mmCIF file of all heavy atoms in Angstrom:
data_model
loop_
_atom_site.group_PDB
_atom_site.id
_atom_site.type_symbol
_atom_site.label_atom_id
_atom_site.label_comp_id
_atom_site.label_asym_id
_atom_site.label_seq_id
_atom_site.Cartn_x
_atom_site.Cartn_y
_atom_site.Cartn_z
ATOM 1 N N ILE A 293 3.977 10.906 -9.980
ATOM 2 C CA ILE A 293 3.551 9.672 -9.390
ATOM 3 C C ILE A 293 2.205 9.268 -10.040
ATOM 4 O O ILE A 293 1.163 9.796 -9.808
ATOM 5 C CB ILE A 293 3.464 9.770 -7.806
ATOM 6 C CG1 ILE A 293 4.798 10.177 -7.251
ATOM 7 C CG2 ILE A 293 2.928 8.547 -7.260
ATOM 8 C CD1 ILE A 293 4.781 10.490 -5.785
ATOM 9 N N ALA A 294 2.320 8.197 -10.846
ATOM 10 C CA ALA A 294 1.121 7.730 -11.625
ATOM 11 C C ALA A 294 0.270 6.768 -10.859
ATOM 12 O O ALA A 294 -0.960 6.849 -10.947
ATOM 13 C CB ALA A 294 1.578 7.185 -12.966
ATOM 14 N N GLN A 295 0.914 5.877 -10.107
ATOM 15 C CA GLN A 295 0.223 4.812 -9.446
ATOM 16 C C GLN A 295 0.825 4.495 -8.119
ATOM 17 O O GLN A 295 2.111 4.505 -8.063
ATOM 18 C CB GLN A 295 0.158 3.556 -10.386
ATOM 19 C CG GLN A 295 -0.577 2.432 -9.760
ATOM 20 C CD GLN A 295 -0.552 1.191 -10.714
ATOM 21 O OE1 GLN A 295 0.103 1.258 -11.752
ATOM 22 N NE2 GLN A 295 -1.153 0.211 -10.370
ATOM 23 N N VAL A 296 0.081 4.242 -7.083
ATOM 24 C CA VAL A 296 0.620 3.797 -5.821
ATOM 25 C C VAL A 296 -0.080 2.522 -5.315
ATOM 26 O O VAL A 296 -1.385 2.527 -5.418
ATOM 27 C CB VAL A 296 0.417 4.905 -4.732
ATOM 28 C CG1 VAL A 296 0.855 4.457 -3.361
ATOM 29 C CG2 VAL A 296 1.060 6.234 -5.117
ATOM 30 N N GLN A 297 0.706 1.528 -5.006
ATOM 31 C CA GLN A 297 0.115 0.379 -4.479
ATOM 32 C C GLN A 297 0.796 0.062 -3.140
ATOM 33 O O GLN A 297 2.101 0.236 -3.035
ATOM 34 C CB GLN A 297 0.359 -0.920 -5.395
ATOM 35 C CG GLN A 297 -0.442 -0.873 -6.632
ATOM 36 C CD GLN A 297 -0.135 -2.039 -7.463
ATOM 37 O OE1 GLN A 297 1.053 -2.263 -7.878
ATOM 38 N NE2 GLN A 297 -1.110 -2.845 -7.764
ATOM 39 N N VAL A 298 0.045 -0.359 -2.161
ATOM 40 C CA VAL A 298 0.639 -0.579 -0.810
ATOM 41 C C VAL A 298 0.306 -1.989 -0.383
ATOM 42 O O VAL A 298 -0.788 -2.450 -0.471
ATOM 43 C CB VAL A 298 0.068 0.303 0.242
ATOM 44 C CG1 VAL A 298 0.720 0.213 1.615
ATOM 45 C CG2 VAL A 298 0.222 1.814 -0.215
ATOM 46 N N PHE A 299 1.400 -2.705 0.057
ATOM 47 C CA PHE A 299 1.186 -4.097 0.477
ATOM 48 C C PHE A 299 1.743 -4.316 1.917
ATOM 49 O O PHE A 299 2.781 -3.603 2.307
ATOM 50 C CB PHE A 299 2.032 -5.021 -0.423
ATOM 51 C CG PHE A 299 1.599 -5.004 -1.902
ATOM 52 C CD1 PHE A 299 2.166 -4.180 -2.791
ATOM 53 C CD2 PHE A 299 0.647 -5.930 -2.328
ATOM 54 C CE1 PHE A 299 1.771 -4.143 -4.088
ATOM 55 C CE2 PHE A 299 0.159 -5.863 -3.619
ATOM 56 C CZ PHE A 299 0.761 -4.992 -4.519
ATOM 57 N N CYS A 300 1.055 -5.085 2.653
ATOM 58 C CA CYS A 300 1.558 -5.452 3.954
ATOM 59 C C CYS A 300 2.191 -6.857 3.829
ATOM 60 O O CYS A 300 1.559 -7.761 3.261
ATOM 61 C CB CYS A 300 0.422 -5.577 4.992
ATOM 62 S SG CYS A 300 0.925 -6.126 6.606
ATOM 63 N N VAL A 301 3.446 -7.018 4.259
ATOM 64 C CA VAL A 301 4.141 -8.245 4.050
ATOM 65 C C VAL A 301 4.613 -8.757 5.441
ATOM 66 O O VAL A 301 5.247 -8.021 6.251
ATOM 67 C CB VAL A 301 5.424 -8.027 3.216
ATOM 68 C CG1 VAL A 301 6.135 -9.326 2.993
ATOM 69 C CG2 VAL A 301 5.063 -7.483 1.808
ATOM 70 N N TYR A 302 4.315 -10.068 5.713
ATOM 71 C CA TYR A 302 4.817 -10.662 6.983
ATOM 72 C C TYR A 302 5.734 -11.711 6.504
ATOM 73 O O TYR A 302 5.433 -12.485 5.608
ATOM 74 C CB TYR A 302 3.670 -11.257 7.776
ATOM 75 C CG TYR A 302 4.125 -11.735 9.193
ATOM 76 C CD1 TYR A 302 4.376 -10.853 10.193
ATOM 77 C CD2 TYR A 302 4.373 -13.081 9.369
ATOM 78 C CE1 TYR A 302 4.818 -11.299 11.355
ATOM 79 C CE2 TYR A 302 4.841 -13.492 10.593
ATOM 80 C CZ TYR A 302 4.987 -12.603 11.599
ATOM 81 O OH TYR A 302 5.492 -12.998 12.843
ATOM 82 N N ILE A 303 6.953 -11.779 7.111
ATOM 83 C CA ILE A 303 7.936 -12.730 6.659
ATOM 84 C C ILE A 303 7.397 -14.141 6.798
ATOM 85 O O ILE A 303 6.865 -14.497 7.689
ATOM 86 C CB ILE A 303 9.203 -12.648 7.645
ATOM 87 C CG1 ILE A 303 9.759 -11.189 7.658
ATOM 88 C CG2 ILE A 303 10.301 -13.645 7.241
ATOM 89 C CD1 ILE A 303 10.143 -10.719 6.303
ATOM 90 N N GLY A 304 7.551 -14.803 5.668
ATOM 91 C CA GLY A 304 7.013 -16.242 5.505
ATOM 92 C C GLY A 304 5.676 -16.325 4.923
ATOM 93 O O GLY A 304 5.267 -17.360 4.459
ATOM 94 N N ASP A 305 4.892 -15.231 4.859
ATOM 95 C CA ASP A 305 3.548 -15.216 4.156
ATOM 96 C C ASP A 305 3.596 -14.422 2.946
ATOM 97 O O ASP A 305 4.469 -13.675 2.626
ATOM 98 C CB ASP A 305 2.604 -14.645 5.187
ATOM 99 C CG ASP A 305 2.249 -15.595 6.355
ATOM 100 O OD1 ASP A 305 2.565 -16.793 6.235
ATOM 101 O OD2 ASP A 305 1.793 -15.078 7.341
ATOM 102 N N THR A 306 2.470 -14.494 2.249
ATOM 103 C CA THR A 306 2.337 -13.639 0.997
ATOM 104 C C THR A 306 1.966 -12.221 1.362
ATOM 105 O O THR A 306 1.531 -11.946 2.462
ATOM 106 C CB THR A 306 1.333 -14.259 0.114
ATOM 107 O OG1 THR A 306 0.038 -14.322 0.790
ATOM 108 C CG2 THR A 306 1.691 -15.597 -0.427
ATOM 109 N N ALA A 307 2.115 -11.326 0.417
ATOM 110 C CA ALA A 307 1.874 -10.007 0.605
ATOM 111 C C ALA A 307 0.298 -9.723 0.461
ATOM 112 O O ALA A 307 -0.369 -10.384 -0.381
ATOM 113 C CB ALA A 307 2.549 -9.105 -0.444
ATOM 114 N N VAL A 308 -0.189 -8.891 1.337
ATOM 115 C CA VAL A 308 -1.584 -8.516 1.343
ATOM 116 C C VAL A 308 -1.703 -7.108 0.742
ATOM 117 O O VAL A 308 -1.096 -6.117 1.269
ATOM 118 C CB VAL A 308 -2.183 -8.666 2.703
ATOM 119 C CG1 VAL A 308 -3.750 -8.184 2.670
ATOM 120 C CG2 VAL A 308 -2.082 -10.030 3.222
ATOM 121 N N ASP A 309 -2.527 -6.876 -0.332
ATOM 122 C CA ASP A 309 -2.746 -5.587 -0.871
ATOM 123 C C ASP A 309 -3.735 -4.778 0.015
ATOM 124 O O ASP A 309 -4.835 -5.157 0.273
ATOM 125 C CB ASP A 309 -3.398 -5.722 -2.258
ATOM 126 C CG ASP A 309 -3.433 -4.462 -3.011
ATOM 127 O OD1 ASP A 309 -3.151 -3.359 -2.375
ATOM 128 O OD2 ASP A 309 -3.728 -4.495 -4.218
ATOM 129 N N ILE A 310 -3.217 -3.708 0.570
ATOM 130 C CA ILE A 310 -3.987 -2.808 1.466
ATOM 131 C C ILE A 310 -4.145 -1.438 0.812
ATOM 132 O O ILE A 310 -4.456 -0.510 1.527
ATOM 133 C CB ILE A 310 -3.289 -2.714 2.824
ATOM 134 C CG1 ILE A 310 -1.893 -2.170 2.819
ATOM 135 C CG2 ILE A 310 -3.386 -4.086 3.592
ATOM 136 C CD1 ILE A 310 -1.407 -1.741 4.159
ATOM 137 N N THR A 311 -4.016 -1.302 -0.423
ATOM 138 C CA THR A 311 -4.063 -0.053 -1.104
ATOM 139 C C THR A 311 -5.441 0.611 -0.931
ATOM 140 O O THR A 311 -5.542 1.808 -0.717
ATOM 141 C CB THR A 311 -3.798 -0.292 -2.692
ATOM 142 O OG1 THR A 311 -2.657 -0.945 -2.886
ATOM 143 C CG2 THR A 311 -3.806 1.065 -3.441
ATOM 144 N N ASP A 312 -6.478 -0.153 -0.873
ATOM 145 C CA ASP A 312 -7.803 0.412 -0.741
ATOM 146 C C ASP A 312 -8.012 0.986 0.682
ATOM 147 O O ASP A 312 -8.808 1.898 0.893
ATOM 148 C CB ASP A 312 -8.876 -0.660 -0.973
ATOM 149 C CG ASP A 312 -8.933 -1.155 -2.424
ATOM 150 O OD1 ASP A 312 -8.397 -0.427 -3.259
ATOM 151 O OD2 ASP A 312 -9.417 -2.300 -2.684
ATOM 152 N N LYS A 313 -7.335 0.476 1.694
ATOM 153 C CA LYS A 313 -7.427 0.945 3.069
ATOM 154 C C LYS A 313 -6.579 2.141 3.360
ATOM 155 O O LYS A 313 -6.871 2.861 4.314
ATOM 156 C CB LYS A 313 -7.100 -0.182 4.018
ATOM 157 C CG LYS A 313 -7.987 -1.395 3.931
ATOM 158 C CD LYS A 313 -7.562 -2.492 4.859
ATOM 159 C CE LYS A 313 -8.371 -3.731 4.730
ATOM 160 N NZ LYS A 313 -7.908 -4.757 5.684
ATOM 161 N N VAL A 314 -5.437 2.340 2.668
ATOM 162 C CA VAL A 314 -4.474 3.380 2.916
ATOM 163 C C VAL A 314 -4.931 4.706 2.174
ATOM 164 O O VAL A 314 -5.425 4.667 1.026
ATOM 165 C CB VAL A 314 -3.054 2.952 2.484
ATOM 166 C CG1 VAL A 314 -2.070 4.108 2.571
ATOM 167 C CG2 VAL A 314 -2.640 1.727 3.164
ATOM 168 N N ASP A 315 -4.690 5.821 2.830
ATOM 169 C CA ASP A 315 -4.940 7.137 2.211
ATOM 170 C C ASP A 315 -3.800 7.413 1.217
ATOM 171 O O ASP A 315 -2.729 7.850 1.593
ATOM 172 C CB ASP A 315 -5.010 8.191 3.254
ATOM 173 C CG ASP A 315 -5.285 9.556 2.732
ATOM 174 O OD1 ASP A 315 -5.519 9.688 1.527
ATOM 175 O OD2 ASP A 315 -5.299 10.534 3.528
ATOM 176 N N THR A 316 -4.046 7.010 -0.026
ATOM 177 C CA THR A 316 -2.977 7.063 -1.068
ATOM 178 C C THR A 316 -2.606 8.607 -1.376
ATOM 179 O O THR A 316 -1.532 8.863 -1.804
ATOM 180 C CB THR A 316 -3.405 6.385 -2.376
ATOM 181 O OG1 THR A 316 -4.623 6.921 -2.806
ATOM 182 C CG2 THR A 316 -3.406 4.920 -2.189
ATOM 183 N N ASP A 317 -3.591 9.529 -1.147
ATOM 184 C CA ASP A 317 -3.205 10.966 -1.360
ATOM 185 C C ASP A 317 -2.143 11.394 -0.310
ATOM 186 O O ASP A 317 -1.248 12.080 -0.671
ATOM 187 C CB ASP A 317 -4.455 11.830 -1.228
ATOM 188 C CG ASP A 317 -5.438 11.518 -2.430
ATOM 189 O OD1 ASP A 317 -4.897 11.173 -3.452
ATOM 190 O OD2 ASP A 317 -6.659 11.712 -2.220
ATOM 191 N N ALA A 318 -2.346 10.934 0.894
ATOM 192 C CA ALA A 318 -1.381 11.221 1.972
ATOM 193 C C ALA A 318 -0.014 10.598 1.631
ATOM 194 O O ALA A 318 1.019 11.218 1.918
ATOM 195 C CB ALA A 318 -1.890 10.773 3.334
ATOM 196 N N VAL A 319 -0.050 9.419 1.086
ATOM 197 C CA VAL A 319 1.219 8.734 0.729
ATOM 198 C C VAL A 319 1.911 9.548 -0.369
ATOM 199 O O VAL A 319 3.114 9.757 -0.350
ATOM 200 C CB VAL A 319 0.980 7.243 0.315
ATOM 201 C CG1 VAL A 319 2.201 6.604 -0.297
ATOM 202 C CG2 VAL A 319 0.418 6.469 1.509
ATOM 203 N N ARG A 320 1.154 9.966 -1.346
ATOM 204 C CA ARG A 320 1.669 10.809 -2.468
ATOM 205 C C ARG A 320 2.221 12.121 -1.966
ATOM 206 O O ARG A 320 3.260 12.510 -2.529
ATOM 207 C CB ARG A 320 0.574 11.101 -3.471
ATOM 208 C CG ARG A 320 0.332 10.057 -4.479
ATOM 209 C CD ARG A 320 -0.531 10.661 -5.671
ATOM 210 N NE ARG A 320 -0.537 9.697 -6.716
ATOM 211 C CZ ARG A 320 -1.484 8.799 -6.905
ATOM 212 N NH1 ARG A 320 -2.484 8.706 -5.988
ATOM 213 N NH2 ARG A 320 -1.502 7.911 -7.854
ATOM 214 N N GLU A 321 1.671 12.679 -0.972
ATOM 215 C CA GLU A 321 2.268 13.886 -0.403
ATOM 216 C C GLU A 321 3.587 13.641 0.314
ATOM 217 O O GLU A 321 4.541 14.467 0.328
ATOM 218 C CB GLU A 321 1.327 14.549 0.591
ATOM 219 C CG GLU A 321 0.109 15.101 -0.094
ATOM 220 C CD GLU A 321 -0.856 15.759 0.928
ATOM 221 O OE1 GLU A 321 -0.502 16.054 2.064
ATOM 222 O OE2 GLU A 321 -2.082 15.948 0.570
ATOM 223 N N LEU A 322 3.743 12.432 0.923
ATOM 224 C CA LEU A 322 4.911 12.193 1.753
ATOM 225 C C LEU A 322 6.094 11.659 0.854
ATOM 226 O O LEU A 322 7.216 11.877 1.202
ATOM 227 C CB LEU A 322 4.621 11.103 2.780
ATOM 228 C CG LEU A 322 3.745 11.594 3.992
ATOM 229 C CD1 LEU A 322 3.439 10.425 4.923
ATOM 230 C CD2 LEU A 322 4.640 12.625 4.821
#
């Protein structure tokens, strides 16, 4: 896994990048 990006999407709106707020190491483990 080289890169992880996380977005929050609400139907009808654009995606918000929340990668900086999320523990990407925990995401990589899961």
Side-chain angles (χ1 to χ4, degrees):
I293 297 173
Q295 181 181 5
V296 175
Q297 290 180 301
V298 184
F299 299 92
C300 177
V301 181
Y302 187 77
I303 304 301
D305 289 339
T306 57
V308 177
D309 189 351
I310 60 171
T311 306
D312 296 338
K313 297 178 182 178
V314 175
D315 182 3
T316 54
D317 292 332
V319 172
R320 273 195 173 93
E321 287 178 23
L322 286 172

